[in-house]
Each structure stands twice: as structure tokens, then as C-alpha cells.
Amino acid sequence: MEVVDLRRINIYFNCPIVASNSLKAPPGKSCSHPRNLSLHTKRRRSIHLSTSPAPVLTELVDQTEHSLAQEDYYYDSGKFAVFPNVQFLRNFPRNELFGKVVMVRFDTLILLQGMKEHKPLPESAFFTIRYLYNSRAKVFLVGSWNESANPKFNMEGSLSTKSVADFLSSMLELEVVLVKHVSGFMHLHADDIKKPGILLVENLFCFKGERANCSEFAKELTSGVDIIVNDAFSESHKVLASTVGAAKFCNACIAGFYFEEGQYKLKEIIKISERPYMAVIGGSKLADKAAALQSLVSKNTCDGLVFVGNMAFQIMHALGTPVPMKLVETGALEEAARIMEFAKSRNIAVILPQDVWCITDDVSEKIQIASVHSIPEGWQPVDIGPRSLEEMAYFLSVSKKITWLGPLRFSSRTQDKDGTFKLAEALGTLSNCNVTFVGKMEFEESLWKSKSYSHDNFLKSAAVVWEVLKGGKLPGLLALDRAYPFVVDWSVVYDDPMRPLVVDVGSGNGLFLFGMGRRRNDMNFLGLEMNAKLVVRCLEDVHLHGTHNVHFIATNATSTFRSIVSSYPGDLFLVSIQCPNPDFNKPQFRWRMLQRSLVEAIADNLVQGGQVFLQSDIEAVAKKMKEEFLMYGKGQLEVMETEELGWLKENPLGVPSDWERHVLGRGDPMYRLLLSKVENRD
């Protein structure tokens, strides 16, 4: 089995802020995730998080003053909030992949780097596909690439789907079979389905429905697909049918190993863990990146900016320095001035080139050094000069963390003096300094040869990084299933974690579980509730009354049930889902709570003979829940004895919920049934 070294991400870290002149950090604050919903009860009875000490009650209340959407993120000292806790393939039960149809959205950058640029690829690039294939899943590859990316690549003048299939076959050492339509796995010809190996559908770039995130196109693409694995991290800033729209049509949508690696590197870039932290800015189009640059200086993310590309001339122009007008970008003046105002107000150092290598605009190969203040007419800057190189290297020499954003090449012109390359090479000699290059790096292979850098120092997805730095969200990331981010120490939560467990999905105000807990002290009770404020109140009552067999967690059980309950050391005996609140004004969200992934997780974790209790005051809702459990229960769930019209007249648990009392009090019926887990008959 191949192994990819994917480091664990620490949720908690200190976030000191330093001024660029003093390089002294005041005491930092520990940034904790608002889902740390635990209390000190008897013997400090709380959920223990492996990454941080358990907080006190006052901290708990403060942390849960956020909406559920906010709770899905962790914060870097309030600077960026972009990373929900998502489900990764490495944490997904491998046995659940066996025999499943898995659609893998692979990363286009792999094709461009491997096929067009003929550069070595990271080990993780294809690990997701191999892992799924070795897990006996039927792998169904989809991707999107510009077929005219390199006219010299093949005889057809494009990156044809056939050439892509051949390339993937050679890299995977597995047969990749081309399927010439995108109508989903269910509509494949029987001969195609029976073919061994891995299937590759047509290039999605050719279909408008992909870029338009067309719901019908996404539905057609995913027909017959059980699980989506998104490995296209470089396209996570886009809204695409194959990464966003498709998520709602499958049982699970999770991140692959390559996606996870990209997200880890991105987190490392924006995490303020080492000071001084410098950013080297290359490239052009300052107006497009102004929001990100303002964020870097206005939020004290970094201690200094070093400009090595054409954006430097926009800053000079804003400062009143004479600049050849042909170097001035439209719309950049005001943005550049605003960046400098932010930098000055926060004492952030900004380093600009003092001299540059220039070539003539004609076809001659003349090259000379010029001051940035007096570039001769008819000459074009192509690289930083020796004085600039020396000053920048000296300024960056004190850094503990450096992120290089943008190309190493100062200009698209091929004649240069390797000034920026020499600077990048010099950064590799700094001791105890974490250097990351973001974007397309022309000299990447040369830097690797210096043995100062490895693949870990490079992140290709520049557009994703710029989007995050300017405060944007990543739709491809947000579409993935959520995962509970913490490890629950059940021996601290309950007196005896080996007792049978009862889980109430959507526990609300907790009255049902408190009633059950008082009646059955031989069992443990767990409430999973999306409303964090209700969970806080329930935990306060647990603390107040010294209850030792009832606990609550604020989470979306639809995606986190498996990760939470599967770690419980005792048996899962009963799951109750009572009176879910369907949104009849938005049919697409009406049944979003009870999805196939939740039903399968319940069926998998229930002990033999365990039960599921369903009830609602709306008959259509109760019928829908029943249908979902019978359809997706893997043949392990069957309805127990019912009474009139197929429903139970009385609540078999003997403890009514608050809403149940309200409904019965007004004289309306409740629709109830019990299902039991039996031996699998499939």
C-alpha cells in the first residue's frame, strides 16, 4: 500500500502580531474553535480536545455566540475564515468504498504540469485514484482543461481526451478507458461498465453546463454515482457543476489526498505562527489583487512586502516617482495609494527595486542596468538589478516565514539576468525559515536542483490563494461534506462510556434526553443539534443538575454522525429523529437533514437489534423518513410492529418531546414508527 505523508493540522495556535520595526510580539491569544462545546461538571466532566485544554463555561458561552455557518470555520486571530472542517478521504471508512461508483474530479494542473511542461509530479498527485482503485471502487474520472493549451503537444494541436487518457494510464500504471460522453455512470453502455480499469469521460471544458454550474448538467453527470471525491484544489475558487452542483446529487462528497495537501499548504500560508513573516510579490495586475494586498498589510498578516514584479512600478507611481507610462496599469493608482496608506499606518515595511536590468524594445539583445528612476526611452525592465538583489536579500535575511506570491520571472521577456532567481535561491539558505512559492514558477526545477527546496515548498494554485487573501470563500471547498473536528474523550463525558448509547438527532432544547436520562440511568444519552445556543443551554443544565449520563454536541449530524458515534466505545442502541422541520418554501432543502449518508451511518453503527425511532406531526415527513431508512438501510433495517394505518399510537419510549406535547395538546396526531436492525439480507 502506498503511503502519502499528510500532516495533521493543528486547530489551535497562538497568533501574535508584531510591528515590522520592533520585531517584538505581545502575548498572543489562543484561537479556539466555537464547536468546543464542553463544560466542567463533576470531576471536570467535559469533552477533551486533543489540541487544547478544555475551556471554562464563560469561554464556552462566548464561543457559541456564532451562527452555524460561522461555526464551520476556524479563525486565524479573526483575519481569515475560510476553512470548514470537511470530510477527507483518508478518514472515510475504506470498506464503504468497496463496489461503489466513485467520481473523481482530478486537478487540471496535474495535466498542465505533467503533459505540457514535462515537469515531475508530486507523489500525492495520483494517490487518490490509486487508493480508490485498490479499495475496489469503480473509478470514474472527470476533468476540465483547455484543449488548445499547447498547440505543439500533439498532432491534433491540442490536449485531446485520448492523449490525456494515455498520460493518466502511464502515470497510474493502470488502464484508463476513454468514454465518449458525460451522461453519467448510470447511462454508460454495458460494455463500458464491464471494462476493467478506470473510466475517463470527455473533457468538461467543452460543456457550457460545467462552467455555468447547471443543475441539470450536474445531475446528469452524477447519475449512478455513489460518492464524489474532489481532488481539484486549484479550481476550488470556481463554481463548477462537477465540484459544486454535483455535491447535492450524491451520497457523499469528500476531499481527496491531493486536495487535502493543497488545503494544508494554504492554511500554512495564512497561519501567523512565525515572525517576522514577509511576503514577496511578483507579477502584475495590481488592481485585481489590491484587496488581497490590503488584507496582508491592514490585518497585520505580514511584517513586510517586497515587490519584485511590475506591481512595483504601480507603487512607485502612487508615491510620485516618475515611471514610464507604458508600465502603468489602468486603475492601479488609487489601489496602490491605499495599500501604501495601510502599510504606513501599521508600520509595515515596503521594499521596492532600486535598479533593474533592461532590454530594448526592438529585437536586439542589448541589456543594461538602469535606475528605476531613469529607465531610458525604448527600454524595458526584465529583472531586478544587483543593488536591488542585495538590499532585498538583506531585508529578508531576518525572516522566519516567507511567502512568494507570483512568478519568479520579472517580465515575460526571455532575456533576464536571473536576479529574482538568485533571490529565491538565496532564501533557501536561510536557517529556520519556512519559504513557500505560490503560482507558476519557471525556475522550479532549477531551485529543486539546489537541494534547498522540495515539492513541499511549492503551491501551484495562485488564484485560490489570492481569493482567500482578499477574503473570498472557496465554493469547491464549501460543497464538501462536513466532519466533526475534535476527538471526544468519552471517559470524561460519561461516568461509564461502555453503557448503551442513545442518540437524538436534532435534540432541540434537550427535554426529551433529560427525561430519558432520569428514567434510564443504565444508558448514556447524546444530543446532536445544529443550534449552538440551544446546546449551550442544555450543557448549562447538565452542569447545574450534575447529570452524568447526558451530553450535547453542536454539529450537523448529517455529515458528522459517523465520525462522532463510531468512536464511542460502547454499543449504539437507539437513534431517534423527531419532528424534523422541513422547509416547504424551499423544496430543494426540504429533506436536507435526512440524507442517505446519515441513514447509512446509522445503519452501520447500530448494534444488532438496535432501534431507530422516527416521529413527526406531518404525515408526509414521517413517510419520507420511513422510505429513506428502508431504501438506504442496506437491508439491515425493518419496520417493527405498527398499529392503526401503519403508525404507532403511543410513544414507545414513554418520554414525549416538547413539540410532541404541544401537538398532542392541541388534539393533533403524531405519526410514529420503530425500525430494528436485523441481519443483513442483501
Side-chain angles (χ1 to χ4, degrees):
M1 178 62 63
E2 300 176 63
V3 177
V4 173
D5 180 18
L6 296 171
R7 293 162 284 184
R8 293 276 181 178
I9 300 169
N10 189 6
I11 302 296
Y12 294 83
F13 43 84
N14 291 327
C15 308
I17 299 176
V18 325
S20 60
N21 61 340
S22 65
L23 301 181
K24 294 180 180 179
K29 292 185 177 181
S30 178
C31 307
S32 56
H33 194 290
R35 279 208 184 129
N36 180 2
L37 300 176
S38 53
L39 287 174
H40 288 276
T41 59
K42 181 180 178 182
R43 296 192 303 277
R44 295 185 59 175
R45 195 162 294 286
S46 62
I47 288 184
H48 173 69
L49 308 183
S50 59
T51 50
S52 177
V56 296
L57 178 59
T58 54
E59 292 175 334
L60 168 66
V61 175
D62 288 340
Q63 290 166 357
T64 52
E65 291 300 316
H66 302 283
S67 68
L68 181 69
Q70 288 173 313
E71 287 163 16
D72 275 335
Y73 299 84
Y74 82 89
Y75 294 80
D76 181 6
S77 233
K79 295 177 176 59
F80 305 101
V82 293
F83 301 114
N85 295 287
V86 299
Q87 185 75 261
F88 293 116
L89 178 58
R90 66 179 168 90
N91 294 329
F92 194 82
R94 193 164 188 177
N95 62 302
E96 288 298 308
L97 299 172
F98 182 84
K100 297 291 178 64
V101 178
V102 181
M103 186 180 89
V104 179
R105 179 57 160 88
F106 64 87
D107 202 308
T108 304
L109 280 182
I110 294 175
L111 297 180
L112 298 181
Q113 185 177 354
M115 297 179 67
K116 177 185 173 184
E117 301 170 17
H118 304 287
K119 292 182 179 179
L121 295 169
E123 292 181 4
S124 58
F126 301 104
F127 184 76
T128 293
I129 302 173
R130 291 195 187 101
Y131 178 86
L132 292 168
Y133 181 82
N134 292 335
S135 300
R136 307 292 298 276
K138 187 62 179 179
V139 183
F140 188 54
L141 300 180
V142 297
S144 174
W145 61 92
N146 188 345
E147 293 191 350
S148 60
N150 187 355
K152 298 180 181 180
F153 183 76
N154 54 36
M155 295 178 60
E156 292 80 13
S158 66
L159 295 177
S160 66
T161 310
K162 175 64 168 59
S163 66
V164 170
D166 292 341
F167 170 74
L168 292 174
S169 294
S170 65
M171 297 305 298
L172 291 166
E173 298 181 344
L174 295 168
E175 184 180 9
V176 176
V177 180
L178 179 61
V179 180
K180 295 186 177 181
H181 54 80
V182 293
S183 56
F185 185 86
M186 182 177 291
H187 300 291
L188 291 179
H189 192 276
D191 292 338
D192 288 329
I193 295 177
K194 293 178 181 178
K195 289 177 181 178
I198 296 168
L199 302 181
L200 171 68
V201 302
E202 287 187 76
N203 182 8
L204 298 185
F205 185 85
C206 304
F207 297 87
K208 293 181 180 179
E210 163 71 349
R211 284 166 284 170
N213 189 28
C214 173
S215 181
E216 287 300 317
F217 179 81
K219 184 177 182 180
E220 182 181 12
L221 180 65
T222 57
S223 62
V225 172
D226 298 304
I227 300 169
I228 295 175
V229 177
N230 187 354
D231 234 13
F233 181 75
S234 69
E235 298 180 86
S236 58
H237 62 300
K238 301 177 182 178
V239 181
L240 303 172
S242 61
T243 59
V244 178
K248 63 183 178 182
F249 296 111
C250 289
N251 310 327
C253 185
I254 58 183
F257 292 102
Y258 191 68
F259 192 106
E260 182 180 5
E261 182 183 26
Q263 180 180 309
Y264 174 82
K265 289 182 179 179
L266 178 56
K267 283 186 176 184
E268 288 297 298
I269 289 172
I270 69 171
K271 186 172 71 174
I272 312 304
S273 56
E274 299 161 303
R275 296 287 193 179
Y277 178 16
M278 309 297 185
V280 181
I281 311 299
S284 56
K285 300 181 180 179
L286 182 141
D288 295 340
K289 300 161 184 172
L293 295 174
Q294 290 173 27
S295 178
L296 284 172
V297 294
S298 65
K299 297 178 180 180
N300 283 313
T301 302
C302 64
D303 305 304
L305 295 178
V306 178
F307 287 90
V308 297
N310 194 58
M311 278 190 270
F313 293 101
Q314 316 316 312
I315 301 294
M316 296 177 197
H317 185 51
L319 294 174
T321 302
V323 174
M325 289 307 296
K326 64 181 179 180
L327 299 178
V328 176
E329 299 173 359
T330 303
L333 179 60
E334 291 185 5
E335 299 292 355
R338 190 174 293 111
I339 291 169
M340 292 306 298
E341 289 176 6
F342 279 123
K344 182 178 179 180
S345 66
R346 288 162 176 77
N347 206 16
I348 303 296
V350 176
I351 307 300
L352 302 169
Q354 298 299 311
D355 61 343
V356 289
W357 287 97
C358 298
I359 62 174
T360 57
D361 290 339
D362 57 30
V363 294
S364 66
E365 297 182 359
K366 296 179 180 178
I367 185 166
Q368 70 176 39
I369 297 175
S371 168
V372 294
H373 305 295
S374 56
I375 298 175
E377 184 71 25
W379 289 75
Q380 174 79 22
V382 293
D383 207 345
I384 60 173
R387 181 184 171 191
S388 300
L389 172 60
E390 183 178 355
E391 291 183 355
M392 290 176 178
Y394 178 77
F395 175 77
L396 294 169
S397 64
V398 299
S399 305
K400 294 300 180 185
K401 183 174 181 179
I402 298 172
T403 298
W404 190 308
L405 292 158
L408 284 180
R409 200 180 283 275
F410 188 94
S411 167
S412 59
R413 300 287 291 270
T414 57
Q415 295 185 14
D416 53 57
K417 296 297 289 184
D418 287 351
T420 50
F421 171 71
K422 291 178 180 177
L423 178 61
E425 196 173 37
L427 298 183
T429 65
L430 298 179
S431 59
N432 300 319
C433 182
N434 181 11
V435 182
T436 304
F437 296 93
V438 178
K440 183 180 178 181
M441 299 297 163
E442 295 85 348
F443 303 114
E444 182 176 337
E445 288 182 81
S446 299
L447 289 174
W448 284 3
K449 292 177 182 178
S450 69
K451 297 183 180 180
S452 298
Y453 300 112
S454 67
H455 168 72
D456 293 336
N457 295 101
F458 296 88
L459 178 60
K460 300 287 186 182
S461 314
V464 175
V465 176
W466 285 115
E467 183 67 23
V468 170
L469 288 177
K470 73 180 183 181
K473 296 180 179 179
L474 304 178
L477 178 64
L478 297 178
L480 296 169
D481 292 346
R482 299 296 190 266
Y484 192 67
F486 302 127
V487 176
V488 181
D489 189 342
W490 298 105
S491 64
V492 178
V493 172
Y494 299 119
D495 274 342
D496 181 4
M498 295 307 297
R499 295 171 182 155
L501 180 67
V502 174
V503 178
D504 188 29
V505 177
S507 53
N509 59 19
L511 292 180
F512 167 72
L513 285 187
F514 282 120
M516 291 290 291
R518 288 190 294 268
R519 175 174 289 204
R520 297 294 301 269
N521 57 15
D522 60 332
M523 306 180 80
N524 291 328
F525 298 88
L526 177 65
L528 304 179
E529 169 58 47
M530 294 178 67
N531 189 322
K533 291 184 178 180
L534 288 178
V535 170
V536 170
R537 294 171 191 165
C538 291
L539 289 172
E540 288 173 342
D541 288 340
V542 168
H543 176 65
L544 180 65
H545 300 293
T547 306
H548 304 149
N549 66 335
V550 179
H551 197 75
F552 298 86
I553 295 176
T555 186
N556 183 347
T558 301
S559 54
T560 64
F561 184 96
R562 186 185 298 275
S563 62
I564 293 174
V565 176
S566 61
S567 67
Y568 184 74
D571 293 331
L572 175 62
F573 178 73
L574 174 68
V575 176
S576 63
I577 303 177
Q578 305 183 55
C579 304
N581 185 20
D583 189 345
F584 287 102
N585 295 318
K586 298 179 180 179
Q588 68 272 30
F589 298 139
R590 187 172 298 173
W591 314 111
R592 62 182 176 181
M593 186 202 74
L594 191 60
Q595 296 180 15
R596 179 173 177 175
S597 58
L598 176 59
V599 175
E600 289 186 342
I602 292 173
D604 289 341
N605 284 277
L606 266 179
V607 69
Q608 199 76 16
Q611 299 176 348
V612 178
F613 175 56
L614 306 174
Q615 76 166 345
S616 174
D617 58 320
I618 302 172
E619 188 173 15
V621 173
K623 285 183 177 179
K624 182 66 175 180
M625 289 195 293
K626 175 183 176 181
E627 292 170 1
E628 296 287 306
F629 271 92
L630 293 178
M631 183 181 302
Y632 301 125
K634 303 181 177 181
Q636 300 179 80
L637 298 173
E638 66 177 20
V639 178
M640 299 178 69
E641 184 178 349
T642 57
E643 299 170 7
E644 54 185 69
L645 301 178
W647 305 108
L648 295 173
K649 185 176 181 180
E650 302 292 337
N651 185 332
L653 304 181
V655 178
S657 67
D658 189 47
W659 182 250
E660 183 179 358
R661 286 182 180 141
H662 172 74
V663 172
L664 296 178
R666 70 189 185 198
D668 291 332
M670 293 294 295
Y671 302 93
R672 316 179 180 94
L673 74 153
L674 270 175
L675 298 100
S676 178
K677 182 171 180 177
V678 298
E679 185 177 353
N680 193 339
R681 298 175 182 175
D682 285 353

